[in-house]
């Protein structure tokens, strides 16, 4: 077995930062989580686009950096995109940061990245801290098949509808949630998804980092999930697949055909039962032909 390593024995010196858009991950709580490459890019940046310039100004000051800051929130993302494209075309280094964590993950910076890509200009990820990955590591739940759903709708009816579309068993679900909605959201998850194992993570990498583990119904009534403060990531374990008999599949397909054409009916029942969609489509055609 070779002792050769893909890495040099000492850290390489900073590379020159060329023109382009850099998606720079920033700490989600602990300032020591800022990467060396991220600091190199921010030091070289001609322009930093930030979700909240006040937050980013404090971040830059903590590392002794100064840069021109421009707002890039939901209201200013279109203007920020135009500015980024124009500056990069002139040869500038533009950095995009969110308030904390990795840009573009439930973040208005997506508009900027898409505009730069459409203009055929360089774009580079600068990886680093991510509350999504930190929560998955901490939760102690399977991570081989994961679906990230961002923030769920704030109203219960819309939230339940969204959860119904995420109910397929075998996948770990990760969502962001606010403190005031947390308990109600957990209760809706238990109702729609079943009482799955879950973890509520809060204030990740900060001094009072917390991870509560239990079933969804237990967590919904836990004293610490009743309108807590801080950034919250909920990780829900995969539900168990339920064996469905051929008769049950036929019954579901027959009911779906009263509302849908064979193709959509087969797709719906395949999602519900895990049965093969092509086989269901053929069966649906037979049912329709038999009247």
């Amino acid at each position: 077995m070779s002792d050769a390593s893909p890495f040099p024995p000492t850290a390489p010196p900073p590379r020159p930062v060329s023109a382009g858009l850099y998606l720079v991950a920033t700490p989600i709580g602990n300032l020591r989580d800022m990467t060396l490459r991220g600091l190199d890019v921010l030091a070289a940046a001609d322009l930093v686009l930030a979700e909240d310039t006040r937050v980013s100004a404090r971040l830059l000051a903590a590392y002794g950096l100064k840069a021109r800051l421009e707002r890039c929130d939901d209201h200013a993302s279109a203007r920020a995109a135009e500015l980024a494209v124009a500056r990069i075309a002139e040869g500038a280094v533009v950095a995009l940061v969110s308030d904390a964590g990795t840009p573009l993950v439930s973040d208005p910076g997506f508009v900027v990245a898409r505009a730069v890509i459409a203009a055929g200009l360089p774009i580079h990820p600068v990886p680093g801290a991510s509350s999504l990955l930190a929560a998955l590591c901490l939760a102690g739940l399977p991570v081989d098949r994961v679906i990230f759903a961002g923030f769920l709708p704030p109203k219960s009816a819309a939230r339940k509808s969204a959860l119904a579309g995420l109910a397929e068993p075998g996948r770990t679900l990760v969502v962001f949630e606010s403190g005031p909605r947390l308990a109600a959201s957990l209760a809706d998850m238990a109702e729609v998804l079943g009482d799955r194992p879950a973890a509520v993570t809060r204030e990740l990498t900060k001094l009072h980092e917390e991870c509560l583990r239990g079933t969804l119904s237990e967590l919904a009534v836990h004293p610490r999930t009743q309108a807590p403060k801080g950034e919250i990531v909920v990780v829900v374990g995969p539900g168990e697949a339920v064996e469905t008999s051929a008769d049950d599949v036929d019954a579901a397909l027959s009911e779906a055909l009263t509302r849908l054409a064979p193709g959509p009916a087969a797709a719906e029942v395949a999602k519900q039962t895990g049965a093969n969609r092509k086989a269901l489509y053929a069966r649906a055609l037979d049912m329709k032909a038999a009247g």
Side-chain angles (χ1 to χ4, degrees), residues 82-105:
E82 292 178 3
L83 180 59
V85 168
R87 292 302 313 277
I88 295 169
E90 295 169 353
V93 173
V94 178
L96 174 66
V97 299
S98 64
D99 286 351
T102 302
L104 276 62
V105 180

Side-chain angles (χ1 to χ4, degrees), residues 13-265:
R15 294 181 179 179
V17 182
S18 58
L21 176 68
Y22 292 80
L23 310 176
V24 182
T26 56
I28 56 177
N30 191 322
L31 284 173
R32 298 292 293 177
D33 288 335
M34 188 71 202
T35 69
L36 295 176
R37 184 174 171 226
L39 291 174
D40 292 342
V41 171
L42 292 176
D46 300 294
L47 172 66
V48 176
L49 301 176
E51 188 173 3
D52 187 327
T53 56
R54 295 166 299 180
V55 172
S56 295
R58 292 195 294 270
L59 174 73
L60 293 173
Y63 298 110
L65 301 175
K66 292 182 179 180
R68 177 188 168 191
L69 285 163
E70 290 286 345
R71 189 163 55 99
C72 181
D73 58 17
D74 287 325
H75 304 290
S77 58
R79 177 182 173 278
E82 292 178 3
L83 180 59
V85 168
R87 292 302 313 277
I88 295 169
E90 295 169 353
V93 173
V94 178
L96 174 66
V97 299
S98 64
D99 286 351
T102 302
L104 276 62
V105 180
S106 291
D107 177 78
F110 171 72
V111 175
V112 177
R114 185 168 57 180
V116 170
I117 291 170
L121 296 169
I123 181 170
H124 310 281
V126 184
S130 164
S131 61
L132 166 62
L133 294 177
L136 277 170
C137 293
L138 191 59
L141 294 166
V143 296
D144 52 336
R145 294 186 68 206
V146 176
I147 182 167
F148 171 60
F151 283 96
L152 295 173
K155 300 294 184 181
S156 181
R159 186 163 57 231
K160 289 180 181 178
S161 178
L163 286 166
L166 302 169
E168 180 184 339
R171 302 183 299 181
T172 292
L173 172 65
V174 185
V175 299
F176 293 158
E177 193 50 274
S178 69
R181 295 198 301 261
L182 178 59
S185 184
L186 290 167
D188 285 345
M189 291 179 200
E191 179 180 337
V192 176
L193 303 177
D195 205 14
R196 300 184 185 185
V200 174
T201 65
R202 189 181 70 88
E203 299 290 81
L204 289 169
T205 76
K206 297 182 182 179
L207 182 61
H208 300 293
E209 177 179 273
E210 184 174 49
C211 180
L212 301 173
R213 302 178 182 89
T215 66
L216 285 167
S217 63
E218 291 169 345
L219 292 170
V221 297
H222 195 288
R224 291 186 178 178
T225 66
Q226 311 308 305
K229 295 181 179 180
E231 301 294 327
I232 298 163
V233 184
V234 180
V235 183
V236 183
E240 295 182 3
V242 178
E243 290 291 332
T244 306
S245 69
D247 288 343
D248 289 338
V249 172
D250 269 3
L253 189 57
S254 179
E255 189 281 326
L257 286 170
T258 65
R259 301 177 282 106
L260 302 167

